[in-house]
Amino acid sequence: MSRIAFIGLGIMGAPMAGHLVRAGHEVTGYDVAPKGLDALVAAGGTAAAGTAEAVSGAEIVVTMLPQDEHVESVYFGDGGVLANAKPGTLCIDFSTVKPETSIRVAEAGRERGLRVLDAPVSGGEKGAVDAVLSIMVGGAEEDFEAARPVFEVVGKTFERVGGSGAGQYVKAANQLIVGGTYALAAEAIVLMEAAGVDAKAGLDVIAGGLAASRILDIKRDTMLRREFQPGFRIDLHHKDMGIATAAARSADVSLPMTAQVAQLIAAARAKGYGSLDHSALLKVVEDLSGRSS
């Protein structure tokens, strides 16, 4: 069992930290929001007053943060991880950020004797709660093996996909597929409903055939009911699509469908849907068809 510092106790981080506590690890956490700290304490963990206090004496530092600027602040800022973690500490960043950010953190960590992995996840809030996240990991092989006990607690599928930053490229690929699937599921619903078809029965049939997907399995009923309580917000998917399009430029490849999906997600955000679940792309497709519910 390890002494773990967990920074970032939001809708994903809080259940992940709770799983680590229940697995027997000694978890000390920090978040700017009291709700996350309360959840950790209720699970049996310890609340810290800041990042420096949380990482002091930790063998493993875990971060789960919303955006690049938060990761940079937590690692590079005054009282941050790089200044306070002891040499040899294993740092696992579950955040989804630009590959360049992960590479910069890893390089700075190595200079200070830290071992850093970028390990973005897929599965949303439900995946975090059920501990079945898919984890795509960038970093050294020996560090990946050292992190395996953490990954086994919070995830179901985890693979090392390359060196530092590689996990973020795979996460970008994941997000463009997820966004595209939501967009097409939304179009399928609008088409069937406009044609007077029983859309629920239609999606049930589709979900049992070649077009089956995890998204149809867990989201088709809530989409049909127009329930968009966030498991993963449009605002965050908008950020992720920006990462995907930037990654395409850096890799010098053309991803035309990614660009199209990114524009639909940007439209959802512009329409004020940013706080809704990314399945709310259905509302954009309805608006474009003049069929707003």
Side-chain angles (χ1 to χ4, degrees):
M1 297 300 104
S2 300
R3 294 189 303 276
I4 299 176
F6 203 115
I7 314 300
L9 300 167
I11 63 172
M12 300 283 288
M16 294 168 71
H19 293 315
L20 291 168
V21 171
R22 286 184 285 275
H25 296 286
E26 181 183 326
V27 181
T28 300
Y30 174 67
D31 194 281
V32 295
K35 181 179 180 181
L37 293 171
D38 293 343
L40 177 61
V41 171
T46 302
T51 298
E53 180 183 330
V55 305
S56 178
E59 299 166 294
I60 299 173
V61 173
V62 173
T63 46
M64 182 50 143
L65 301 160
Q67 301 190 69
D68 291 72
E69 56 264 35
H70 303 115
V71 170
E72 291 170 348
S73 176
V74 163
Y75 278 91
F76 293 103
D78 293 339
V81 174
L82 296 180
N84 291 279
K86 64 183 181 181
T89 299
L90 176 64
C91 300
I92 306 169
D93 183 24
F94 286 120
S95 314
T96 296
V97 294
K98 297 174 184 175
E100 294 82 1
T101 298
S102 292
I103 292 169
R104 188 162 61 253
V105 170
E107 290 175 346
R110 282 193 292 270
E111 291 176 359
R112 291 163 174 80
L114 306 179
R115 302 174 292 159
V116 182
L117 296 171
D118 52 283
V121 303
S122 179
E125 181 182 11
K126 181 171 175 54
V129 170
D130 295 343
V132 293
L133 293 169
S134 180
I135 310 168
M136 42 224 86
V137 186
E141 179 68 34
E142 59 269 27
D143 297 338
F144 172 76
E145 291 301 325
R148 186 178 290 272
V150 172
F151 298 149
E152 288 174 343
V153 170
V154 301
K156 181 179 180 181
T157 303
F158 45 92
E159 295 286 347
R160 177 182 175 270
V161 295
S164 296
Q168 302 297 351
Y169 277 104
V170 176
K171 180 58 185 291
N174 179 87
Q175 292 304 81
L176 66 90
I177 293 172
V178 169
T181 303
Y182 271 123
L184 289 173
E187 291 186 4
I189 289 170
V190 170
L191 172 62
M192 288 187 287
E193 290 181 343
V197 171
D198 183 339
K200 183 183 186 310
L203 286 181
D204 288 345
V205 172
I206 290 169
L210 186 59
S213 71
R214 180 67 174 152
I215 285 172
L216 285 182
D217 286 344
I218 66 176
K219 289 288 188 177
R220 67 181 187 268
D221 289 337
T222 56
M223 288 179 76
L224 287 168
R225 294 195 299 266
R226 273 60 175 181
E227 295 174 359
F228 303 117
Q229 181 176 348
F232 190 79
R233 292 182 286 113
I234 286 282
D235 280 339
L236 289 176
H237 209 137
H238 174 71
K239 180 262 296 184
D240 290 354
M241 294 308 292
I243 293 172
T245 53
R249 287 194 297 272
S250 68
D252 197 24
V253 294
S254 174
L255 304 179
M257 294 301 295
T258 297
Q260 181 73 30
V261 174
Q263 288 300 310
L264 284 171
I265 293 174
R269 190 166 182 265
K271 285 178 171 289
Y273 305 150
S275 63
L276 302 180
D277 186 74
H278 46 178
S279 58
L281 278 182
L282 175 58
K283 291 171 68 68
V284 178
V285 176
E286 286 182 315
D287 291 346
L288 290 171
S289 300
R291 298 185 60 85
S292 298
S293 56

